[in-house]
Amino acid sequence: MDDFLTLLVRAHKLLQAASDEAMSRHGVRIGQNLILEALWETDGLTPGEVASRARLPITTPTIVNTATRMEAAGLLTRRRDPKDGRLVRLYLTDRARAAQQPIRESRRQLAEHATATLTDEERAHLRTALLKIIQQLATDQAGPGER
Amino acid sequence: MDDFLTLLVRAHKLLQAASDEAMSRHGVRIGQNLILEALWETDGLTPGEVASRARLPITTPTIVNTATRMEAAGLLTRRRDPKDGRLVRLYLTDRARAAQQPIRESRRQLAEHATATLTDEERAHLRTALLKIIQQLATDQAGPGER
DNA sequence: GGAGTATCATTAGCTTGCTAATGAGACGGT
DNA sequence: ACCGTCTCATTAGCAAGCTAATGATACTCC
């Protein structure tokens, strides 16, 4: 347990596992969260729109695959757009909509629990440190693409 | 971009992608790193030993699968233990051993680059914050198992 | 209006991780 | 010496992510 890469990977793994367990209690898996959040906000988005609006970068094929599992699980339905036959619109079922509050609350509790032993100051520091790292690495990605 | 769960997942994703890209330049993929580290330290471990010694928790099936890909990539060879027929010992090839220094250096550089915009104090804060989160979540896991 | 191009979703195929089920081999006790 | 149990690695099967390739539909320009 030494360098910060290891620490971050370890923290991430534990948090993902805990998130998945928490969400599973509501019939939802961790990978479905981004899609749910996008559709809770705006129902009837296309896979591409979900990908671009998601709170975290995610590719369209991942949305499509996850949406297929969610359809099988009765969380959403697919409907072809009547005006543009290329588009597929994703609509949440009542079950998925009903899960919104419990899931949000679970995640809030998890975040609180995970950082329970930190002081407010430490939480603030953590936040800014992560933001700086993200910014540093994200600009790398943008850079090589050039302009 | 709001709660710390999101920030941590985002930072993790960027770091994993950057790590994989860096290691790929040396003919190694990110998932192979834990096995390499264990075998650099002690060659000829069994999959189960690698799993228990790895710097990060990982399951034996994951070791086995990754070892199979590494074998195909010419990074290691499998040999049955002559004394105990249940055991399989993993031995690195020269190619894998030669990659040790370059890969370590690449990862060090990546960690440095990722945290380049942080002050030393911020780095220290980040480290302790992650440790606290890990400890908090890891004790959860141990707890439910009881004693 | 038809051909070529652009824009979608989807499929194919890969990696990395997991749990549960299998199967082979070793070992302890009778 | 054999039977049951324990300990391994492996396989099966799933989730979640990615890039590249496909295929269907729309749009644009002549």
Side-chain angles (χ1 to χ4, degrees), chain A residues 84-147:
Chain A
D84 186 336
R86 293 169 301 181
L87 305 181
V88 163
R89 305 212 159 264
L90 306 175
Y91 295 95
L92 293 179
T93 62
D94 291 344
R95 196 155 108 52
R97 248 185 308 273
Q100 180 173 4
Q101 288 316 316
I103 287 175
R104 286 209 166 146
E105 176 60 13
S106 284
R107 290 180 64 87
R108 196 195 56 72
Q109 279 179 15
L110 173 61
E112 206 172 86
H113 173 69
T115 59
T117 64
L118 307 202
T119 64
D120 283 348
E121 205 193 2
E122 283 176 320
R123 266 185 284 264
H125 281 330
L126 173 60
R127 208 170 167 288
T128 61
L130 290 176
L131 277 169
K132 281 189 176 185
I133 290 170
I134 290 167
Q135 191 176 356
Q136 176 81 348
L137 294 174
T139 55
D140 290 350
Q141 289 194 320
E146 214 57 67
R147 170 152 317 274

Side-chain angles (χ1 to χ4, degrees), chain B residues 94-121:
Chain B
D94 292 344
R95 197 155 107 52
R97 249 186 308 275
Q100 180 173 3
Q101 289 315 319
I103 286 175
R104 285 211 168 146
E105 175 60 13
S106 284
R107 288 179 65 86
R108 197 195 55 71
Q109 279 180 14
L110 174 61
E112 206 174 87
H113 172 69
T115 59
T117 63
L118 308 200
T119 65
D120 283 348
E121 205 194 1

Side-chain angles (χ1 to χ4, degrees), chain B residues 110-137:
Chain B
L110 174 61
E112 206 174 87
H113 172 69
T115 59
T117 63
L118 308 200
T119 65
D120 283 348
E121 205 194 1
E122 282 176 320
R123 265 185 284 264
H125 281 330
L126 173 60
R127 208 169 166 289
T128 62
L130 290 176
L131 276 170
K132 282 189 176 185
I133 289 170
I134 290 167
Q135 192 177 356
Q136 176 81 350
L137 294 174

Side-chain angles (χ1 to χ4, degrees), chain A residues 2-16 19 55-57 107 111 113-118 122 125-127 129-134 136-137 140-141, chain B residues 2-16 19 55-57 107 111 113-118 122 125-127 129-134 136-137 140-141:
Chain A
D2 45 321
D3 62 318
F4 106 95
L5 275 88
T6 303
L7 292 177
L8 195 138
V9 171
R10 179 105 171 85
H12 174 262
K13 206 176 197 172
L14 287 165
L15 268 171
Q16 285 295 100
S19 294
R55 199 159 31 76
L56 240 36
R107 290 180 64 87
H113 173 69
T115 59
T117 64
L118 307 202
E122 283 176 320
H125 281 330
L126 173 60
R127 208 170 167 288
L130 290 176
L131 277 169
K132 281 189 176 185
I133 290 170
I134 290 167
Q136 176 81 348
L137 294 174
D140 290 350
Q141 289 194 320
Chain B
D2 46 321
D3 62 319
F4 106 95
L5 276 89
T6 302
L7 292 177
L8 195 138
V9 170
R10 178 105 173 87
H12 174 263
K13 206 175 197 174
L14 287 165
L15 269 172
Q16 285 294 102
S19 295
R55 199 159 33 76
L56 238 39
R107 288 179 65 86
H113 172 69
T115 59
T117 63
L118 308 200
E122 282 176 320
H125 281 330
L126 173 60
R127 208 169 166 289
L130 290 176
L131 276 170
K132 282 189 176 185
I133 289 170
I134 290 167
Q136 176 81 350
L137 294 174
D140 290 350
Q141 289 193 319

